[in-house]
């Protein structure tokens, strides 16, 4: 992996699973980290593992469904670490995090639909917008959106989740076009099933 020494990465959903493994990989490459999630105990465990590589790792309670919380996360990264070079929009979920989040059309409630889009689209949108302002000021950066294979094809029982991840897929393209002139790269990773709880 390319050295990330001197870089600062913000990683959402860093308390477990993909977020934790991403944090450890970035720490191993030398990046300082702002780690965000709702579970502070598990987030602190991630931070301790990351610090074993000799990097700085700060934690920030963040609820991605709450706009003010997401804005505060980005502001904290800028204030504590002085810059943001990389944003990994990893936090998100379906049925395991949103009641009714893996239902079909006939059984998806308004509440489940709204929560899926708040978690998987609005939160990452706000994080990207606020981070991009800082990256523009710095002269560049990278935004990595963790999408899903369900954003490229759907199953009947994952309609809300699939629609939210399809939105992230399209937003990634639009942000890349808009922000490229400022030296900001925007990419999506669309994984399939991942073993969580690591």
């Amino acid at each position: 992996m390319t050295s990330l020494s001197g870089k600062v990465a913000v990683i959402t959903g860093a308390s477990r699973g993909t977020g934790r493994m991403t944090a450890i990989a970035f720490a191993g490459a030398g990046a300082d980290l702002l780690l965000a999630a709702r579970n502070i105990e598990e987030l602190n465990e991630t931070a301790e593992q990351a610090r074993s590589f000799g990097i700085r790792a700060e934690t920030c309670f963040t609820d991605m469904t709450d706009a003010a919380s997401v804005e505060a996360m980005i502001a904290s990264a800028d204030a504590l670490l002085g810059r943001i070079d990389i944003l990994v929009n990893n936090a998100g979920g379906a049925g395991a995090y949103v009641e009714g989040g893996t239902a079909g059309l006939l059984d998806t409630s308004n509440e489940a639909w709204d929560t899926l889009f708040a978690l998987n689209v609005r939160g990452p949108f706000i994080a990207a917008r606020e981070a991009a302002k800082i990256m523009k000021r710095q002269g560049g950066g990278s935004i990595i959106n963790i999408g899903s294979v369900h954003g490229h094809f759907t199953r009947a029982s994952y309609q809300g989740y699939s629609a939210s991840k399809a939105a992230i897929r399209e937003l990634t393209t639009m942000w890349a076009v808009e922000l490229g002139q400022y030296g900001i790269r925007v990419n999506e990773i669309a994984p399939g099933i991942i073993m969580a709880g690591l």
Side-chain angles (χ1 to χ4, degrees):
M1 185 172 182
T2 300
S3 173
L4 297 177
S5 179
K7 304 293 186 182
V8 171
V10 176
I11 303 172
T12 68
S15 59
R16 63 178 70 173
T18 305
R20 176 174 285 186
M21 293 301 100
T22 301
I24 300 308
F26 277 43
D32 290 328
L33 306 173
L34 188 288
L35 305 175
R38 292 178 296 179
N39 189 318
I40 289 297
E41 182 178 346
E42 292 184 348
L43 193 61
N44 287 334
E45 292 174 2
T46 302
E48 283 304 309
Q49 291 183 38
R51 292 182 189 122
S52 70
F53 291 93
I55 57 89
R56 184 174 176 187
E58 302 288 347
T59 60
C60 180
F61 171 86
T62 306
D63 180 351
M64 292 298 288
T65 66
D66 181 86
S69 184
V70 179
E71 291 173 351
M73 170 192 69
I74 298 298
S76 293
D78 192 28
L80 292 171
L81 298 171
R83 59 187 297 114
I84 299 175
D85 298 288
I86 304 161
L87 168 66
V88 182
N89 266 325
N90 169 73
Y97 300 94
V98 179
E99 185 176 354
T102 54
L105 172 64
L106 299 180
D107 297 313
T108 299
S109 68
N110 294 341
E111 292 75 18
W113 182 272
D114 290 345
T115 303
L116 284 167
F117 271 77
L119 175 61
N120 295 327
V121 183
R122 190 184 65 175
F125 155 74
I126 295 169
R129 182 189 67 202
E130 297 305 305
K133 294 175 183 177
I134 295 166
M135 293 174 182
K136 179 183 175 182
R137 182 187 74 203
Q138 296 168 174
S142 174
I143 297 171
I144 303 168
N145 294 320
I146 305 301
S148 170
V149 292
H150 288 293
H152 296 261
F153 66 87
T154 188
R155 285 166 48 189
S157 61
Y158 277 73
Q159 288 186 26
Y161 177 73
S162 293
S164 69
K165 289 302 186 177
I168 280 295
R169 183 193 71 207
E170 293 302 317
L171 286 170
T172 297
T173 300
M174 289 186 278
W175 297 345
V177 171
E178 177 183 354
L179 299 176
Q181 62 185 311
Y182 307 119
I184 303 171
R185 299 184 311 278
V186 188
N187 297 98
E188 180 211 17
I189 298 173
I193 296 174
I194 292 177
M195 188 188 309
L198 301 176

